[in-house]
Amino acid sequence: MSLESGIDTIVEERLVQAVFGVTNVIDDAAWEWQYASHLKETYTPSELIASYSRYRGDEGSFETKLRRIIFRAMCKQAGHALRVEPEVILKHPETMVLGDGVFIGAHTMIQGRFDGTCHIGNHVWIGPHSYFDARNLILEDYVGWGPGAKVLGSAHTGVPIDVPIIATSLKIEQVVVGYGADIGTNATLLPGVRVGAHSIVGAGAVVTEDVPDYSVVAGVPARVIRYRK
């Protein structure tokens, strides 16, 4: 015990059981699905987004459940036990497919495109303040996404060079994060990369090329520092 503060000082490391990755998905009530279907059939996509925006920042179990229902109505598909924390922003949710047991942390932005595809698998955990260029994105099952991590799925060609870069054409490339991979806090994935299954991307890393399965990468640009097997 600290003599100055009177507060016990814990020096031992603790190993506790994971929560999100081992929790069984409990199916949402049938009325939630019926209500979501009614909303999708009754309102336009822009009206649904406006409704979602009214509850986007609210706390509380009722608001959380209502946000999930409207979210499901907005998306192409969203599975059971979806949890959407406050202030999550979506662009073109009608292009998005989400599996069961997805968690989306607060202040995350998922930016789709009207002709894009975004697939988020089962049991995916997304930390707060994350950003996704989701114009051609696949997150496979059991992906862990650290707070503040980002994925960029497109880049300007920059040609011709006498034209402002932001006025040149965009090249959209698919980004894939494989089964069971884990992306560190504030890491960034660049367009066209594939992060292999069961691999780890270190905090703050910038991934510029494919990451092998079962590897650990770190740095800028990210390099393999070891393999997990």
Side-chain angles (χ1 to χ4, degrees), residues 113-147:
R113 181 181 151 94
F114 68 93
D115 59 352
T117 57
C118 171
H119 290 259
I120 297 176
N122 300 307
H123 304 282
V124 171
W125 187 91
I126 296 172
H129 296 276
S130 299
Y131 171 76
F132 297 87
D133 179 337
R135 298 163 191 181
N136 194 347
L137 174 67
I138 297 175
L139 304 184
E140 297 181 354
D141 295 349
Y142 286 98
V143 166
W145 192 271

Side-chain angles (χ1 to χ4, degrees), residues 18-72:
V19 176
F20 182 81
V22 298
T23 302
N24 292 326
V25 170
I26 298 175
D27 289 354
D28 298 327
W31 70 265
E32 282 195 29
W33 290 86
Q34 294 164 0
Y35 190 24
S37 296
H38 168 73
L39 293 176
K40 181 172 284 191
E41 293 169 359
T42 305
Y43 297 99
T44 66
S46 59
E47 288 173 333
L48 288 173
I49 289 175
S51 296
Y52 171 77
S53 298
R54 283 198 286 272
Y55 300 98
R56 195 175 66 204
D58 295 338
E59 300 280 1
S61 58
F62 173 79
E63 290 80 5
T64 298
K65 186 170 293 185
L66 188 56
R67 196 158 48 231
R68 174 169 67 211
I69 293 169
I70 301 174
F71 199 99
R72 181 174 288 131

Side-chain angles (χ1 to χ4, degrees), residues 211-226:
V211 173
D213 293 351
Y214 289 96
S215 65
V216 179
V217 302
V220 181
R223 294 285 184 264
V224 176
I225 57 175
R226 66 181 175 87

Side-chain angles (χ1 to χ4, degrees), residues 76-160:
K76 191 172 184 179
Q77 179 181 323
H80 288 282
L82 169 67
R83 184 173 180 90
V84 182
E85 293 290 278
E87 301 297 350
V88 171
I89 296 175
L90 298 176
K91 300 290 185 184
H92 291 289
E94 74 277 7
T95 65
M96 299 175 187
V97 175
L98 289 76
D100 293 328
V102 173
F103 174 93
I104 304 177
H107 298 274
T108 287
M109 181 174 185
I110 307 177
Q111 182 174 0
R113 181 181 151 94
F114 68 93
D115 59 352
T117 57
C118 171
H119 290 259
I120 297 176
N122 300 307
H123 304 282
V124 171
W125 187 91
I126 296 172
H129 296 276
S130 299
Y131 171 76
F132 297 87
D133 179 337
R135 298 163 191 181
N136 194 347
L137 174 67
I138 297 175
L139 304 184
E140 297 181 354
D141 295 349
Y142 286 98
V143 166
W145 192 271
K150 300 171 181 62
V151 56
L152 304 179
S154 62
H156 291 279
T157 62
V159 291

